[in-house]
Amino acid sequence: MYKIIIDSCGELPENLKKDEHFCNVPLELDVDGYLITDDDTFDQLDFLKRVKNSVKGPKSSCPSPERYMSAFDGDADNIYVITLSGKLSGSYNSAVLAKGLYEEEHGKDSKNIYVFNSKSASIGETIIGLKVQEYEEAGLAFDEVVKKTEEYIASMNTFFVLETLETLRKAGRLSNIKAFVANTLNIKPVMGSTKEGAIQQLGQARGMKKALMKMVEDAVASTKDCSERILAISHCNCPQRAEFVKEQILKLAKFKDVVVVNTAGVSSMYANDGGVILAV
């Protein structure tokens, strides 16, 4: 028996919400003192409205070690935890601490627990979970699942195009990125993850459509063996843009499967209304 725990920055499609092997551990969101738990009660439209009217901007806090420890309970012998990038959140460190505390209380031999730093976010975490499930269902031993999943994470790429970078900027996630005249000239930067899981600017384009096309081209150019990989797209309240990205990328390459989801709380906070994230 195995269990795949993903912090709530990683969206679970409806079929995975019904899969007993998967569960989310929620982060908390704060918009000017209004607290929101990033779980099934999250109301994206209400949240986006609050963010738009916010004076200070939204903040998030990672799950406590106790939340992770509670998720470890149950019949599963193999526990895999997937967190958003350690460069962007304390979620990874919290999960690692939870693993240590759990093993102190129950003994290291009680369960096999491993914490993956996704070095990604959002739907990127989800496809890592799907890869773990693929290896588990194939009958691989725990250590082999860990080894092969870490190799998969090293091969992944995450890209995104946002309407605005203000939330990322206010949260201090863009400290190494040069300022650019985005609003006045309608310049949309194409962003992506570094191999360490930080955020970098990959390019830019005039207007959203051209920026999405550049993201698509960058994704295909940097991905090997597309036909053996899952294409994952998450969007913040813009299904038409997500469909456009899907159609354009499938014109250039074939994938094993395609997953498209609406962003949950934490991803909605960073992506803002109209943002699109792609992981492959």
Side-chain angles (χ1 to χ4, degrees):
M1 183 69 174
Y2 64 93
K3 190 174 188 180
I4 300 167
I5 302 166
I6 304 178
D7 71 27
S8 65
C9 187
E11 293 85 9
L12 293 184
E14 288 304 316
N15 63 313
L16 294 187
K17 288 179 180 179
K18 299 173 184 176
D19 189 328
E20 63 180 0
H21 297 107
F22 283 84
C23 77
N24 270 139
V25 172
L27 282 82
E28 299 288 333
L29 305 172
D30 181 343
V31 186
D32 296 342
Y34 183 81
L35 301 180
I36 302 164
T37 300
D38 188 12
D39 57 17
D40 286 339
T41 65
F42 175 71
D43 184 333
Q44 186 190 62
L45 294 180
D46 178 72
F47 175 76
L48 292 174
K49 183 178 179 180
R50 290 179 183 276
V51 169
K52 187 176 181 180
N53 297 326
S54 171
V55 176
K56 298 178 181 179
K59 298 182 293 184
S60 66
S61 56
C62 65
S64 67
E66 289 75 19
R67 276 195 182 272
Y68 278 117
M69 291 172 70
S70 294
F72 296 162
D73 289 334
D75 297 330
D77 298 314
N78 294 344
I79 305 287
Y80 306 94
V81 186
I82 302 161
T83 75
L84 67 106
S85 172
K87 293 284 187 181
L88 303 178
S89 167
S91 184
Y92 173 74
N93 289 335
S94 182
V96 171
L97 178 57
K99 174 182 182 292
L101 292 171
Y102 192 90
E103 289 175 345
E104 280 184 19
E105 289 184 14
H106 301 273
K108 288 191 175 182
D109 296 330
S110 61
K111 291 179 185 287
N112 297 314
I113 303 173
Y114 189 85
V115 182
F116 292 102
N117 176 0
S118 73
K119 299 177 183 176
S120 180
S122 185
I123 197 69
E125 297 175 58
T126 311
I127 58 175
I128 294 169
L130 288 171
K131 185 57 68 172
V132 169
Q133 183 171 54
E134 177 186 323
Y135 294 144
E136 268 282 349
E137 294 294 336
L140 272 62
F142 178 80
D143 289 345
E144 189 66 12
V145 173
V146 168
K147 176 177 178 291
K148 291 181 76 67
T149 302
E150 286 287 11
E151 291 171 353
Y152 176 73
I153 290 172
S155 75
M156 277 179 57
N157 289 294
T158 306
F159 307 87
F160 58 94
V161 175
L162 311 182
E163 281 284 3
T164 174
L165 299 175
E166 276 309 297
T167 301
L168 286 171
R169 198 183 301 279
K170 287 177 181 177
R173 304 298 187 237
L174 301 180
S175 56
N176 297 321
I177 295 174
K178 296 178 182 178
F180 39 77
V181 194
N183 293 330
T184 54
L185 298 178
N186 195 28
I187 300 297
K188 300 297 181 187
V190 178
M191 315 293 285
S193 60
T194 66
K195 288 302 179 183
E196 295 75 32
I199 294 173
Q200 62 180 333
Q201 184 181 349
L202 302 173
Q204 61 188 39
R206 193 77 168 270
M208 178 59 74
K209 193 169 184 178
K210 288 182 180 178
L212 293 174
M213 279 303 304
K214 178 161 179 49
M215 177 178 72
V216 164
E217 291 163 1
D218 287 350
V220 172
S222 62
T223 304
K224 297 178 181 178
D225 304 321
C226 291
S227 62
E228 299 176 9
R229 304 180 77 89
I230 294 174
L231 167 66
I233 302 167
S234 55
H235 65 89
C236 185
N237 192 37
C238 56
Q240 296 88 352
R241 283 182 183 171
E243 188 61 27
F244 172 78
V245 169
K246 174 183 172 182
E247 289 174 358
Q248 296 307 312
I249 201 167
L250 291 180
K251 289 178 182 178
L252 300 177
K254 292 183 179 180
F255 292 85
K256 182 170 70 174
D257 197 5
V258 182
V259 178
V260 180
V261 297
N262 197 359
T263 52
V266 177
S267 297
S268 294
M269 184 182 87
Y270 286 118
N272 278 308
D273 204 358
V276 179
I277 305 162
L278 186 158
V280 66

